[in-house]
Amino acid sequence: MTTVTPNPLTESGMGTILSAAEGTDLAALGSDIREAAPVSGCVLVRGLSLDEQQFQSLVHAVGETVHHKFGEGQADLLKLNASRDVGKVVTGRGPLPLHTDGMLVGERTDLIMLYAADFKDEPGSGETFVCDQLSAWNEMPEDLRQPLEHAGSLEYLVEERGYFPNVPEDWYSIPAVRDHGRVRSLNLALNFPDGADVRGWRARVPNMSLEESSRFLSRLDAYLREPRYTYQHRWRVGDLVVIDNQRTLHGRTAIGTGGTRVLFRGQIAL
């Protein structure tokens, strides 16, 4: 049995908390998640105890998995294991900027499920942040809105070829807004922070100089990550966070030098 705690996770109103009683049926929990996530944008469930097979069962209880197009894992289970292998970005230890899952490979992803199988890190490290992009877009100042609407798309250069093996090798264009019939929203993968050891991708605004583009995307990132719109989750073992990939953007802070972070990830197409 699950109960809903009506406390949003951000000032803008995004998010809800589900409390799962011990022994909660995974099929029932999956149904509750499927109902809550597309409405609130982000669902938090604490205190679960799931092995890999149980996590996969919960993923399938929520809905159909996406058609997998990545170089690692599968749609019902990818281990984000904070790999120390050189060149690993998505499954590595560095930061991930705000982004839309599936965008770079042209795959629609509606819900993202993240479960903490193991976590121990210093405060602020290895944390997941989720942006209520619909509220942020609705309240966005014109000097940020207009360049996006005028450009219509951003251009990307994917550098982590092992994880994204089938995307173009040169810069390619992706619309900055998408509408899959459920909600119209921003469709973005912003730049990695200056000083990042490795980057999964680079982004730029067409018809801007590199300097102008960099300044604009930095300002956009700062706006989207304002506390009013963004919830940053400090993981505990047993936490489950389910993100509506159409209503939100998400990313992570870098994992600490001695930190341990193993998340199971599933991706759902509603």
Side-chain angles (χ1 to χ4, degrees), residues 15-85:
T16 192
I17 300 173
L18 295 182
S19 300
E22 186 175 351
T24 295
D25 179 71
L26 293 182
L29 177 59
S31 178
D32 290 342
I33 290 170
R34 182 185 177 93
E35 181 178 347
V39 175
S40 68
C42 181
V43 169
L44 169 62
V45 187
R46 291 194 184 273
L48 296 175
S49 180
L50 305 175
D51 59 22
E52 293 182 19
Q53 185 175 2
Q54 290 170 322
F55 176 77
Q56 289 175 298
S57 295
L58 179 57
V59 171
H60 289 283
V62 174
E64 294 185 10
T65 57
V66 303
H67 178 67
H68 196 254
K69 293 185 178 180
F70 300 93
E72 298 184 38
Q74 54 199 44
D76 62 359
L77 179 61
L78 169 67
K79 291 184 182 179
L80 302 171
N81 59 359
S83 171
R84 296 182 184 275
D85 291 348

Side-chain angles (χ1 to χ4, degrees), residues 18-162:
L18 295 182
S19 300
E22 186 175 351
T24 295
D25 179 71
L26 293 182
L29 177 59
S31 178
D32 290 342
I33 290 170
R34 182 185 177 93
E35 181 178 347
V39 175
S40 68
C42 181
V43 169
L44 169 62
V45 187
R46 291 194 184 273
L48 296 175
S49 180
L50 305 175
D51 59 22
E52 293 182 19
Q53 185 175 2
Q54 290 170 322
F55 176 77
Q56 289 175 298
S57 295
L58 179 57
V59 171
H60 289 283
V62 174
E64 294 185 10
T65 57
V66 303
H67 178 67
H68 196 254
K69 293 185 178 180
F70 300 93
E72 298 184 38
Q74 54 199 44
D76 62 359
L77 179 61
L78 169 67
K79 291 184 182 179
L80 302 171
N81 59 359
S83 171
R84 296 182 184 275
D85 291 348
V86 176
K88 295 288 187 182
V89 182
V90 174
T91 60
R93 304 184 68 82
L96 283 181
L98 285 170
H99 65 280
T100 301
D101 264 20
M103 185 195 77
L104 294 173
V105 296
E107 183 63 57
R108 172 178 173 173
T109 301
D110 285 299
L111 301 181
I112 304 158
M113 302 177 63
L114 299 172
Y115 172 74
D118 195 7
F119 184 83
K120 185 178 180 181
D121 208 344
E122 58 196 44
S125 297
E127 298 180 0
T128 296
F129 46 90
V130 184
C131 168
D132 177 7
Q133 63 140 312
L134 292 186
S135 294
W137 192 21
N138 184 56
E139 300 171 7
M140 186 176 289
E142 285 301 307
D143 63 331
L144 290 177
R145 179 189 299 274
Q146 285 298 327
L148 286 176
E149 293 182 348
H150 183 264
S153 63
L154 297 185
E155 295 175 337
Y156 297 91
L157 178 66
V158 172
E159 298 185 348
E160 191 183 11
R161 305 302 305 182

